[in-house]
Amino acid sequence: MTVAVLVEGLTVEFGRFRAIDDLSLAIDYGEVRAVIGPNGAGKTTLLDVISGVSRARAGRVLFDERLELTGRSESAIARSGVRRKFQKPSVFEALSVRDNVEIGLGGAGDPASHEKVAAILETVGLSEHADRLASELAHGQKQWLEIAMVVVSEPRVLMLDEPVAGLTDEETERTAALIRRLRTPDRAIVVVEHDMDFVEAIADRVTVLHEGRTLFEGSMARARADARVVDVYLGR
Amino acid sequence: MWWRALFAGLFGAILTCGAAAAAFDRAAIASQICGGAAGMTDAANAMLAGLVDATTDDARWAAALSGAAIDRSLKCGPQDPAIVAPEGAVNAATLSPVEGSVGTSPLLSLKNRPLFETVRAAATLRSGAAVNDRGAALTALERRAGSLRPEFFEKAAEAETDAGLRSRILAVGQAALLNSPDMSKRIAAIERIAATPDRRSLTRIEALKSDPAYQTDPGFRMAVDGGVASIGRWLSVSNALNVFYNGLSIASILFMASAGLAIIFGLMGVINLAQGEFIMIGAYVAYAVQEALRAVAPGLIDWYLIAAIPVVFLATAGIGVALEATIVRRLYTRPLMTLLATWAVSLLLVNLMRVTVGTQNLQFVTPWYISGGRLLMGDFIVTWNRLFAIVFAGLTLGLTWFVLKRTPLGLNIRAVTQNRAMAGCVGVATRRVDMMAFGLGSGLAGLAGLALCPIYNVNPQMGSNFIVDSFMVVVLGGVGTLAGTAFAALGVGQINVLIEPLYGAVAAKVIVLLMIIAFLQWRPEGLYAVKGRRK
Amino acid sequence: MIAPKPPLPARALDDRVFAGVAAATLLAFAAVALWPGLSGYRVNIIGQLACFALLAVALDLIWGYAGILSLGHGLFFAIGGYVAGMHLLEHSVATTGVTPDIVQFMGWTALPAWWAPLGSFPVALLAAIAVSFGAAFAFGWVSFRSRVGGVYFAIITQALVYVAMLLMFRNDTGFGGNNGMTGFQMIFGVPFQSPSVATGLALASLGVLGVTLVGCRLLMVGRFGRLLVATRDDEIRLRSLGYDTLRLKLAVWCLSAVIAAIAGLLYVPQVGIINPRVLSPELSLEIAVWCAIGGRGRLAGAVIGAVLVNAIKFSLSATLPELWPFVLSGLVILVALIFPNGLLDIGRWRPALLSRPGALRPQDAAS
C-alpha cells in the first residue's frame, strides 16, 4: 500500500528557533492520524510545511510516494489533492455559505457541481443556511463550513487543524461523527487536536510531538499509558 | 594630514636657520649701487638675498632704495649716495636727511631693471605696506618668482597678516620653485605641492606634463607622475569621505524621521502619513522657541537649538498622543483606512500652518556652533551644521534604544509588538502603550524637524519631501526594529548621495525605489523581519 | 456570534443604489446629448466628473473587491493622459501645421519622430492600454509574487507615483517637463473651440463610464468577483484551496490600471492640458478618498464618492478655494470614524463610535 504522506528529516526554523527538528513521519491511506503534543511542539508548523505555507530548512515531504511537496506553492499542493483546514476558522465572510463551498470545489457551476455542493452542505448540516453570509454563522457552523470547503473537492489528504476548538460537547460529537464518515480507504486524514477524548474517538493512530520531534507513535490507549507522554503533558 | 604639515614645517625651519646669517650691509649696498651696471646687479642680488630674513625696517629701506633706482631719484655723486625726494634728500644708506646732495642718477640697464623691480616688489611685500600695495607687489612678483629664494615666500607668508594674501604668497612661492631652473628644486617643489592634496595642486602638477623637461628628464617625469598619483589617491579618499559624510547627514535625518514611523508600524501595523507634518511642526516649534528667546533673552538666542529640544519633543509628542486618542485608536483593525485618515490630518496641519503662519520659508539664526566647518584633508570639509544633525541623530538613536530596551515603557512596547493579545492577557495596558508609543514616534519626528532647521528650508510643505523617503526606510528596515531602521536609513542615505552626483537626484530616487522593490523580492518582510507560523 | 441584521439586507440595498447610479449616468448622457439649455461649462464639468468616476471605479475594483489599496493610481491615469496629449499634439500638427509651444520650450525642431504613429487615434488608444497594462503587469507581478500587500503595497505604490512625478518634472525625460503638454488645436479634425467637442467628449466619458460600470458589475457578481472577495477576506485560505491568487490579483490589477488609463485618455482633452501634477501623491490619495467616502466594494459607491467630492471641489474652487483642504480632510476623518463603509452607510447607520473600538466587523479585514 502506498504511503499518503511521507515526511523525511524535516527541519523548520524561525530565526534561531527550531520549530521542527529532523522529523520523520509516514501517514497511510485509510487512516485517521492524530498529531498531538503540548503548545509549541510543532504541530501546526508541520501542517504549514505540508500545505506549503511555510518552507522547510531541510528534509522533504512526499505525497502519494511520487510528488515532492516541499518547495511547491500552496495552490499547487492543494490542486494535487492535499487540503487543509486552518486552526482559526478561515471562511470568506463577505460571501454566502454556498459561494464558500463552491470556491472550495473550484468547479464551473455545472449541475453536477451544484449537486456536490448541496450534498456536502447537507452532510455538515448547513443546507438551510446556504444563502446566508458566512459572517453571520456561529463559530461551530464556521468550523463545519470550512470543513465542507476543504472536503468538497474530495482531497486525498485531509488535514484538520483543531477542528473542535471552541465547540460545545454536542458539536464536538457531531464533528467526530463527520470525520469518521469522511474516512475512506483512499484518503488520509490528519487531525491536530488538544481534546484527548475527541482524538480517542476518531484516531486510528496518534503521533505525539514534543519540541519538534516525535516522542511517541501508536494507539491512543498506549499513548495515555506511555510514561514519556505523560511527563511531557504533566510536566515535572 | 598633520604629519605632512609637521614635516613641511621642520623642513622650512632648517632652511631658515641656514639663511639667517645673511643681513643687509646697507652702506656696502648703497655704495655698490653706484658702481656701474655690475655693481647694481650685485646690489640687487644682495638685497634679494637679504630680504629673506629682513626685518620690516630693512624691507622698507630696500623698497625705498630699489624704488629710487627705478624712478631715478637716486643720486650718485662725490658724497654718499642719496635719494632725492620732494621733501628733501636723504642718505641712501641711512635714510637720514642730507643737505645739498648732487650727482647723477645711474642708468638701469635692460638686465638690471627687472631685477630691481623684483627687489622693490619683494621688499614692499615685507615692508608692512597697505594690503592693496602688498597685493600689487605680489602680482608683480608672480612673473619673476623664479628669481627669488623659496624661503622668501615662506617667510613672507609667515609674516603676512591677511589670510587671502598669505595663501596667494604660498602659491606663488610654489610656482616659483616649479619653474626654477634648478631641477632638484623643481622636483622638491613638486613633492611639496603634492603634500597638500587638493584639486588645485593636481591641476598645477598636471600642467607640468606639457613641460619639455617631462620628456627629457626622467627624474622630473617620475616626480610629476608620482605627484599626480599621490594627489589622486588622497583626493579619492577625501572624495569618498565627503560622500560618506553627506550620506551620513542625510541618513541621520532619515533615521529620525523613520524611527517613529517604524516603531508605530511595528506596534500597530499603522503607517502615519502625517509623520512628515510632525517634522514640519517640530521645525516650527523650534522657530517659536527662537523667536521667544529673541524677545525674552536676545543674548541667548544662539542657544535656541538646544533650548528647543525638550519643547519640540513634548509639543510634537503631545500632538501625536492627541491624534492617537482621537482618530488612530478607532481605526486599529483598518490599517488602510488609517492611511487615509492620517493623510487627512496631514492635509489639515499643512493648511492650518499655511493659513496661520504663511507659506514663506522661516528665517533661522545660524548659531556660531554650527556655522562654518573644518577642512580636514584634500577637499573633505566637515561642516558643523551637518555634524550637528549627525550627532543629534546619534544621541537620539542611543536614547531611543535606551527607552526601548531599558525602561518599562520600552518593555511594554516590545511585548505588544510581538504579541498584542498575550501582552494584554498578562496585564499590559495595550491601549496606553499604543498611545505612549505614538507620542514617542511623533516626538522623534519633531526632533528630526529640529535637526533640519539649520540645513533645509522650513515651510508648511516641507514634510512631504521626507515622507516618501522615510517610507522607503521603513519598508527596507522591516518593522519595529531600531537597528533595521538605522541600517536602512544609512543605506538609503548613502545610495542617494552616491548616485546623485553621477545621474542626478531624480535618478537616485528611481534607483532607490527599484532597489527596494528588488529587495522585497528577496526579503518581503524587510531586513530585520521575524518569521513565524500562521496563527 | 451572529451579527445584528441591518434594516435592509446589504445586497438588496446595493442593488438599488447601483441601479440608481446606472440610471443617473444614463440620465446625464441623455441630458448632455439632448438638452440644449446645458451650458458648455456645465457639459465640460459633467464630462470631467465622469472621468473621475471612472478612475474611482478602477480603484474600487482592486481596493474594494480585492482589498489591495493602491496609492499610485495617478500613474496609470497619467499614462492615459500623456498618450492623449501626444496624440492631440500630433493630430493638431498634422491638421493645422502650426508648431506647438512644446517644441520651442523643449528646444526641439519638431515633435519626436517616435510620436508620429500616435497621431492615429486607434494607435494611441492601443498604446495607452498597452503601456498601462505593461506597467501594471510588471509592477504587480514583482509585488504580488513576493506577497507584498496591505500597507506595504500602498506605500510602495505611493513611492512609485512620486518617483514618476519627479521623472516627468525633468525636461530631459522628454514629455514637456514642468509645463507638460498643452495648446491642443484639433480633435478628430474638429477645432477645440467648437461646442460640439465638449459635448462629444462628455458623451464619450459618460458612455465609457456606463459600459464600464455595467461590465465590471457583471464581472464582480460572477465567479471572478467572488474569488476577488475571497482573496480580500483570506488570501492564504484561498491559496490552500488550490487557487493561484497571484493570477487573480494580477488580472484585476491590470484591468484596473487600464480603466484608469482610459479615464486619463478621456480627461486630458477636456481640460486641455497634461502635466506632472497629476502624478502627485496627493491626487492618487484623493482617488482612494473618493472610494472611501462613497463606500468601497460596490462600484456605485465609487461613482457617488468621486462625483460628490469633485462637485464640492469645483463649487468651492470658484468661491472659497482655501477652504477646500479643510472640507476634504474633515470629510475623510468623518467617514473614517463614523461611516466605515462610506456614505452609503447613512442608510443603515449604526453609531460606530459607540461600538467597541477594535471590534472586527466583517468587511473590516481588508480596509
Side-chain angles (χ1 to χ4, degrees):
Chain A
M1 197 175 72
T2 42
V3 177
V5 177
L6 187 66
V7 175
E8 279 181 346
L10 194 70
T11 299
V12 182
E13 286 174 350
F14 298 127
R16 263 168 291 173
F17 172 66
R18 195 165 264 215
I20 292 187
D21 188 5
D22 196 20
L23 178 73
S24 294
L25 197 67
I27 298 162
D28 295 324
Y29 284 116
E31 78 165 321
V32 173
R33 169 74 62 92
V35 178
I36 61 175
N39 278 326
K43 304 174 303 259
T44 297
T45 305
L46 176 63
L47 296 199
D48 278 351
V49 173
I50 296 175
S51 60
V53 173
S54 293
R55 294 267 173 267
R57 166 152 293 242
R60 62 175 194 158
V61 177
L62 211 59
F63 163 57
D64 204 32
E65 288 187 11
R66 59 187 166 83
L67 191 68
E68 174 140 6
L69 298 185
T70 28
R72 279 173 193 273
S73 70
E74 293 119 297
S75 53
I77 291 172
R79 281 196 299 270
S80 71
V82 178
R83 300 222 168 176
R84 175 232 184 134
K85 178 204 154 324
F86 287 102
Q87 185 173 339
K88 190 180 123 202
S90 305
V91 296
F92 306 119
E93 307 222 319
L95 296 176
S96 73
V97 170
R98 193 194 310 280
D99 285 344
N100 267 282
V101 180
E102 271 175 6
I103 284 178
L105 182 61
D110 51 290
S113 58
H114 280 310
E115 264 168 46
K116 248 185 204 169
V117 170
I120 202 78
L121 282 177
E122 189 64 46
T123 311
V124 296
L126 289 173
S127 292
E128 61 199 270
H129 303 295
D131 291 318
R132 288 176 66 187
L133 284 183
S135 59
E136 294 167 11
L137 293 183
H139 178 73
Q141 290 172 316
K142 283 184 186 167
Q143 294 273 34
W144 290 330
L145 173 58
E146 199 185 352
I147 292 176
M149 287 159 68
V150 175
V151 166
V152 69
S153 66
E154 294 173 359
R156 306 283 312 278
V157 174
L158 174 61
M159 300 186 285
L160 305 170
D161 198 350
E162 304 200 6
V164 295
L167 298 195
T168 62
D169 287 353
E170 191 234 325
E171 286 170 333
T172 303
E173 231 163 79
R174 283 181 60 186
T175 309
L178 175 65
I179 291 173
R180 277 196 297 272
R181 229 179 310 153
L182 293 173
R183 183 179 150 194
T184 62
D186 59 352
R187 175 180 292 160
I189 300 179
V190 184
V191 180
V192 166
E193 195 40 78
H194 282 294
D195 184 332
M196 289 308 141
D197 295 331
F198 173 75
V199 167
E200 189 146 34
I202 58 161
D204 301 307
R205 277 200 288 175
V206 299
T207 297
V208 184
L209 292 188
H210 178 54
E211 289 174 352
R213 293 176 213 213
T214 310
L215 186 71
F216 172 89
E217 199 168 293
S219 73
M220 188 62 202
R222 278 184 41 218
R224 281 189 197 271
D226 190 283
R228 289 167 307 162
V229 175
V230 173
D231 273 353
V232 162
Y233 268 93
L234 299 181
R236 265 203 284 207
Chain B
M1 300 302 291
W2 62 270
W3 53 269
R4 283 178 171 241
L6 189 66
F7 274 133
L10 278 177
F11 192 56
I14 293 163
L15 281 178
T16 349
C17 289
F24 284 137
D25 185 347
R26 294 191 187 183
I29 291 174
S31 59
Q32 266 177 335
I33 211 165
C34 287
M40 289 187 89
T41 310
D42 289 344
N45 281 334
M47 281 192 281
L48 277 182
L51 273 172
V52 171
D53 287 303
T55 60
T56 312
D57 192 50
D58 281 341
R60 208 169 288 141
W61 170 79
L65 185 61
S66 54
I70 292 167
D71 56 27
R72 305 193 62 181
S73 54
L74 180 71
K75 300 292 176 195
C76 290
Q79 300 146 323
D80 283 346
I83 299 170
V84 185
E87 311 87 59
V90 291
N91 184 307
T94 59
L95 296 185
S96 50
V98 286
E99 293 294 323
S101 92
V102 282
T104 52
S105 301
L107 223 69
L108 277 173
S109 67
L110 279 177
K111 193 184 130 220
N112 278 342
R113 176 170 281 275
L115 204 52
F116 270 82
E117 280 173 354
T118 307
V119 173
R120 181 172 63 174
T124 310
L125 193 62
R126 300 294 313 269
S127 68
V131 175
N132 283 345
D133 294 344
R134 298 206 302 271
L138 186 63
T139 314
L141 278 184
E142 265 172 0
R143 279 170 290 139
R144 312 206 176 90
S147 52
L148 282 157
R149 303 218 341 234
E151 306 88 76
F152 167 80
F153 290 103
E154 268 169 28
K155 287 283 183 177
E158 240 169 68
E160 180 55 61
T161 48
D162 184 81
L165 206 52
R166 187 187 307 134
S167 63
R168 261 184 75 203
I169 292 173
L170 283 175
V172 172
Q174 282 170 342
L177 280 176
L178 276 183
N179 299 322
S180 141
D182 182 346
M183 191 48 74
S184 62
K185 275 188 187 168
R186 295 188 79 173
I187 292 175
I190 291 170
E191 280 162 4
R192 208 97 158 276
I193 293 177
T196 28
D198 57 23
R199 210 154 285 285
R200 226 177 48 205
S201 316
L202 188 65
T203 7
R204 294 240 314 273
I205 297 187
E206 264 182 336
L208 291 179
K209 284 187 176 174
S210 54
D211 193 287
Y214 186 73
Q215 298 300 331
T216 54
D217 189 324
F220 180 73
R221 184 159 62 217
M222 253 175 65
V224 170
D225 291 347
V228 168
S230 145
I231 295 180
R233 262 197 310 279
W234 283 106
L235 270 187
S236 53
V237 169
S238 74
N239 272 348
L241 283 174
N242 258 332
V243 166
F244 178 74
Y245 183 67
N246 285 345
L248 201 61
S249 69
I250 294 181
S252 309
I253 304 290
L254 273 181
F255 167 74
M256 280 190 281
S258 4
L261 216 52
I263 292 173
I264 296 170
F265 189 36
L267 192 67
M268 306 178 234
V270 156
I271 283 281
N272 175 16
L273 280 188
Q275 188 83 352
E277 278 56 47
F278 284 116
I279 297 177
M280 182 264 290
I281 290 177
Y284 270 76
V285 172
Y287 181 76
V289 170
Q290 172 193 290
E291 292 308 298
L293 275 180
R294 194 197 296 281
V296 178
L300 295 176
I301 192 157
D302 261 0
W303 296 105
Y304 77 93
L305 274 180
I306 312 296
I309 293 173
V311 186
V312 165
F313 185 83
L314 289 179
T316 45
I319 298 174
V321 166
L323 174 64
E324 202 277 342
T326 52
I327 295 177
V328 175
R329 137 162 330 195
R330 302 179 188 282
L331 301 173
Y332 274 137
T333 52
R334 301 183 289 147
L336 297 183
M337 202 49 118
T338 316
L339 275 181
L340 296 194
T342 50
W343 174 72
V345 171
S346 82
L347 193 65
L348 193 70
L349 291 175
V350 169
N351 284 287
L352 272 179
M353 218 41 110
R354 225 182 238 170
V355 169
T356 54
V357 186
T359 51
Q360 74 284 3
N361 286 338
L362 295 188
Q363 296 301 314
F364 281 93
V365 173
T366 309
W368 56 265
Y369 50 85
I370 57 160
S371 58
R374 191 183 158 83
L375 184 76
L376 274 196
M377 56 155 294
D379 293 343
F380 176 43
I381 301 176
V382 172
T383 49
W384 300 139
N385 54 0
R386 289 184 184 271
L387 192 66
F388 175 76
I390 294 170
V391 170
F392 195 73
L395 291 179
T396 313
L397 172 63
L399 212 63
T400 316
W401 185 87
F402 179 82
V403 168
L404 286 182
K405 299 280 175 182
R406 293 278 182 275
T407 62
L409 172 66
L411 180 65
N412 284 344
I413 289 178
R414 284 182 293 142
V416 179
T417 301
Q418 277 168 23
N419 192 333
R420 174 171 292 266
M422 187 51 82
C425 289
V426 297
V428 177
T430 55
R431 290 292 183 226
R432 233 185 117 243
V433 170
D434 288 342
M435 198 163 79
M436 302 291 281
F438 210 94
L440 176 65
S442 311
L444 286 177
L447 290 183
L450 170 78
L452 275 174
C453 310
I455 319 182
Y456 287 86
N457 288 339
V458 171
N459 56 44
Q461 291 92 329
M462 68 184 288
S464 58
N465 296 334
F466 296 96
I467 192 78
V468 171
D469 277 340
S470 352
F471 287 164
M472 295 296 95
V473 170
V474 173
V475 170
L476 203 57
V479 297
T481 69
L482 215 51
T485 311
F487 279 116
L490 272 179
V492 172
Q494 295 296 353
I495 289 168
N496 258 314
V497 293
L498 276 180
I499 298 171
E500 227 177 272
L502 297 178
Y503 306 106
V506 174
K509 292 253 187 308
V510 173
I511 291 173
V512 167
L513 177 69
L514 290 181
M515 285 174 63
I516 283 168
I517 292 173
F519 172 81
L520 285 177
Q521 298 298 300
W522 170 54
R523 294 197 74 159
E525 289 92 10
L527 270 177
Y528 274 74
V530 185
K531 289 184 179 174
R533 60 166 211 203
R534 180 178 152 95
K535 294 288 179 315
Chain C
M1 179 193 85
I2 296 177
K5 275 204 171 176
L8 194 64
R11 282 190 217 178
L13 179 76
D14 279 359
D15 286 346
R16 276 191 220 173
V17 173
F18 183 84
V21 166
T25 310
L26 196 67
L27 199 68
F29 189 90
V32 170
L34 304 173
W35 189 22
L38 217 51
S39 71
Y41 173 75
R42 290 262 157 82
V43 167
N44 182 259
I45 294 286
I46 291 175
Q48 287 188 42
L49 289 178
C51 291
F52 292 141
L54 198 57
L55 190 54
V57 166
L59 188 70
D60 197 31
L61 285 183
I62 54 155
W63 188 22
Y65 286 91
I68 303 163
L69 174 58
S70 159
L71 293 182
H73 249 46
L75 177 67
F76 305 116
F77 189 71
I79 288 175
Y82 271 99
V83 170
M86 290 188 272
H87 163 72
L88 291 173
L89 285 176
E90 281 291 339
H91 181 70
S92 303
V93 169
T95 46
T96 64
V98 178
T99 312
D101 289 347
I102 185 173
V103 172
Q104 270 153 24
F105 63 71
M106 292 295 287
W108 295 334
T109 48
L111 294 177
W114 66 271
W115 291 15
L118 295 171
S120 137
F121 179 72
V123 173
L125 179 64
L126 270 178
I129 293 174
V131 174
S132 55
F133 182 88
F137 188 88
F139 181 74
W141 193 77
V142 292
S143 305
F144 300 143
R145 199 186 67 93
S146 57
R147 299 189 180 165
V148 174
V151 175
Y152 265 50
F153 187 83
I155 61 178
I156 290 178
T157 49
Q158 186 179 35
L160 190 69
V161 77
Y162 176 69
V163 164
M165 176 179 76
L166 294 181
L167 266 182
M168 293 309 264
F169 263 125
R170 286 164 56 94
N171 272 342
D172 34 352
T173 312
F175 296 94
N178 184 27
N179 298 297
M181 301 171 190
T182 186
F184 313 129
Q185 306 287 325
M186 307 279 272
I187 180 165
F188 291 115
V190 183
F192 265 93
Q193 294 87 341
S194 155
S196 62
V197 168
T199 312
L201 285 170
L203 288 180
S205 306
L206 286 166
V208 171
L209 174 63
V211 170
T212 308
L213 262 180
V214 173
C216 288
R217 170 81 177 177
L218 290 176
L219 202 57
M220 289 303 115
V221 296
R223 187 175 134 81
F224 182 62
R226 274 178 296 172
L227 286 178
L228 287 183
V229 172
T231 312
R232 179 190 75 188
D233 280 356
D234 198 335
E235 187 178 348
I236 297 180
R237 166 79 277 179
L238 193 63
R239 273 207 295 268
S240 48
L241 287 174
Y243 290 90
D244 187 352
T245 53
L246 171 64
R247 275 200 223 165
L248 272 173
K249 293 201 284 188
L250 255 186
V252 71
W253 171 247
C254 293
L255 174 67
S256 167
V258 168
I259 294 176
I262 290 175
L265 194 74
L266 287 164
Y267 175 76
V268 165
Q270 305 193 45
V271 289
I273 185 168
I274 172 80
N275 63 32
R277 268 164 280 274
V278 298
L279 287 163
S280 76
E282 284 74 26
L283 176 89
S284 293
L285 257 153
E286 260 186 54
I287 309 171
V289 166
W290 304 339
C291 291
I293 287 180
R296 282 158 294 128
R298 11 158 109 97
L299 299 177
V303 176
I304 292 175
V307 170
L308 186 75
V309 173
N310 283 294
I312 300 176
K313 189 180 185 175
F314 277 130
S315 59
L316 271 184
S317 63
T319 51
L320 283 167
E322 63 276 14
L323 203 62
W324 167 241
F326 296 98
V327 173
L328 181 63
S329 48
L331 262 178
V332 175
I333 293 170
L334 184 81
V335 162
L337 291 184
I338 300 180
F339 305 115
N341 295 314
L343 291 180
L344 286 188
D345 263 0
I346 289 179
R348 49 195 157 102
W349 181 55
R350 294 188 305 274
L353 271 179
L354 303 181
S355 68
R356 192 160 44 93
L360 193 67
R361 279 177 298 272
Q363 283 170 340
D364 288 354
S367 44

